[in-house]
Amino acid sequence: MNFIWLFLIIVSIIFGAINGKLNDVVNSIMSGAELSINIAIGITGVMVFWLGIMKIAEKSGLVEKISEILKPFAEFLFPEAYEKNKKAIGNIAMNFSANALGLSNAATPMGLEAMKELQRINKDKTSASDSMCMLLAMNTAGFQLIPATVIAVLAASGSGNPTEIIIPTLLVTSFAFLSAIFTAKIMQRFFPPQNETEVNENGDV
Amino acid sequence: MEMFKHALDIISLWALPFIILLILITAYIKKVPVYETFVEGAKEGVNTTLRIVPYLTAIIVAVAMFRASGCLDFITLHCSGFLSKIHLPAEILPLAIVRSLSGSAALGVFSDIAAQNPVDSFTVKLGAIMLGSSETTFYVLAVYFGSVGIKKYRYALATGLIADFAGIIGAIIVATLFF
């Protein structure tokens, strides 16, 4: 991430200078920074609401129930989390369902809640556990049943049959999703295991 | 096809109301004080967003700068010869790159493709499949790991990029087979 971030910024400035677009690049710093705060403010409300609802689900035992129902998947994908933290599994399941249904606003708070639970059982608080990498693999692959935004753009451009892309997209998104899961599964065998960190009672480093 | 979409639309519409009802009714039966519990959980929401702001700003600014620099046009220009040799439209390349970086940018690139090509052309359909099957890897990584203070991503970035690449190849194959 360090390298990529550095690369993006340095390349942008050099290319901007060569293309005579340096002014645009400078302006994009301001507009990008502003956009990031707008996004953050935009998701705060949804985040607050969903974390509230999720707390109720947790206290009424629903989150643990979901993880029991999904035992076979959970044991394969998140063995460590399934053993030590059932709440994480429930949150992961809800994050996945929300993503699949295209409800990305609801998916983010659920995913972040899952990350928090996974961090609780993480051996090294500064590095990603195998379960976290698996959750991220599932999220970056972006499995979605209906590409609603794309259909809307196609329809707006005057396509006669915008829904014809549903099945091909579903094939591709499933394929990408499965590749992500299996890549993560294979990678975890070859990557050196995490070191332990000293952790105090609050879970802080 | 239409039936399938219709059924899924109904499921999408009802998913959230159903989940909320299920959670609240279960909580009521289990005698959980719903209002107090909601507020207790919701308090953490503000902290969570405050925690992710630096990560969000870092990635969004870098991507905005990259887009403004014209670097993508440069890459497209220099790869169009190679792409046309393997029968792929050059416009697809910026979309393939940008879809890992930023969702709104990818949507912008796709809207351009849809506006500048016949709507039922192969290029537009390939673009549609590519965009529909993607999620912005860098944004997700930055926000999720940022929210819990993870600094070493280990193999998460590599996994995300491999899956993105698999998605691009998959989209090209499927689009060729279907259209």
Side-chain angles (χ1 to χ4, degrees):
Chain A
M1 205 65 186
N2 267 317
F3 173 74
I4 287 168
W5 197 69
L6 195 68
F7 174 83
L8 280 177
I9 290 182
I10 291 178
V11 164
S12 307
I13 291 175
I14 293 174
F15 259 89
I18 296 171
N19 287 342
K21 286 189 170 175
L22 207 52
N23 197 24
D24 291 351
V25 174
V26 174
N27 287 338
S28 74
I29 299 179
M30 313 305 162
S31 59
E34 198 183 318
L35 176 68
S36 68
I37 296 300
N38 284 339
I39 293 178
I41 292 173
I43 63 171
T44 305
V46 198
M47 192 84 86
V48 167
F49 176 78
W50 277 106
L51 289 183
I53 293 287
M54 298 284 285
K55 194 80 179 176
I56 302 175
E58 181 195 317
K59 284 233 168 126
S60 46
L62 267 175
V63 177
E64 275 195 36
K65 194 119 216 158
I66 297 174
S67 72
E68 270 166 43
I69 299 170
L70 294 170
K71 187 173 177 231
F73 298 104
E75 276 185 325
F76 174 68
L77 295 173
F78 304 95
E80 176 194 34
Y82 183 77
E83 202 181 304
K84 295 184 196 154
N85 190 338
K86 297 276 194 296
K87 225 168 91 187
I89 301 292
N91 285 320
I92 291 168
M94 288 167 84
N95 167 257
F96 172 76
S97 322
N99 269 327
L101 293 170
L103 310 163
S104 46
N105 275 338
T108 307
M110 292 163 178
L112 295 183
E113 195 67 8
M115 285 300 277
K116 207 169 85 191
E117 293 304 324
L118 292 178
Q119 179 72 319
R120 221 180 282 250
I121 54 167
N122 192 3
K123 273 193 282 187
D124 175 358
K125 304 291 175 200
T126 61
S127 87
S129 66
D130 286 339
S131 295
M132 286 176 174
C133 290
M134 184 58 81
L135 174 63
L136 268 288
M138 288 169 61
N139 270 282
T140 54
F143 180 76
Q144 202 183 344
L145 289 170
I146 295 275
T149 327
V150 179
I151 295 174
V153 174
L154 286 177
S157 316
S159 165
N161 186 12
T163 51
E164 70 179 341
I165 65 144
I166 292 178
I167 295 290
T169 306
L170 196 55
L171 283 174
V172 176
T173 189
S174 314
F175 172 66
F177 184 73
L178 290 176
S179 338
I181 287 177
F182 284 105
T183 309
K185 269 275 166 195
I186 294 165
M187 296 276 238
Q188 58 185 232
R189 294 197 183 184
F190 294 104
F191 249 74
Q194 298 170 287
N195 300 317
E196 302 267 351
T197 39
E198 290 293 321
V199 172
N200 66 26
E201 279 212 326
N202 299 323
D204 296 328
V205 182
Chain B
M1 197 63 242
E2 279 299 316
M3 280 260 301
F4 178 66
K5 164 133 201 308
H6 193 64
L8 278 169
D9 278 346
I10 292 176
I11 295 175
S12 303
L13 176 65
W14 274 95
L16 291 184
F18 175 77
I19 292 171
I20 294 172
L21 274 180
L22 178 75
I23 290 172
L24 290 184
I25 292 171
T26 317
Y28 180 76
I29 295 169
K30 294 258 172 87
K31 299 200 167 54
V32 175
V34 281
Y35 180 74
E36 280 86 350
T37 312
F38 177 88
V39 175
E40 187 193 328
K43 269 182 200 152
E44 293 164 29
V46 183
N47 292 332
T48 310
T49 33
L50 275 183
R51 257 199 321 269
I52 63 175
V53 164
Y55 303 92
L56 213 56
T57 308
I59 192 76
I60 289 176
V61 169
V63 171
M65 288 173 74
F66 184 70
R67 283 182 66 207
S69 73
C71 184
L72 275 177
D73 304 329
F74 178 82
I75 298 173
T76 314
L77 197 69
H78 285 261
C79 291
S80 58
F82 169 72
L83 286 175
S84 61
K85 252 179 224 155
I86 51 172
H87 304 290
L88 286 176
E91 296 110 299
I92 259 352
L93 192 68
L95 182 62
I97 298 173
V98 131
R99 66 172 215 151
S100 301
L101 294 172
S102 153
S104 56
L107 187 60
V109 173
F110 174 66
S111 303
D112 281 349
I113 294 176
Q116 282 160 18
N117 291 281
V119 74
D120 288 313
S121 64
F122 177 74
T123 310
V124 172
K125 284 176 186 167
L126 175 58
I129 296 173
M130 241 181 220
L131 181 63
S133 62
S134 74
E135 180 61 69
T136 48
T137 300
F138 289 96
Y139 171 83
V140 171
L141 285 174
V143 169
Y144 276 51
F145 281 142
S147 76
V148 288
I150 296 284
K151 292 185 185 69
K152 289 181 218 123
Y153 292 6
R154 289 173 77 223
Y155 52 89
L157 178 60
T159 306
L161 292 179
I162 290 172
D164 284 345
F165 187 70
I168 293 170
I169 301 297
I172 293 171
I173 295 171
V174 169
T176 313
L177 290 176
F178 268 76
F179 304 115

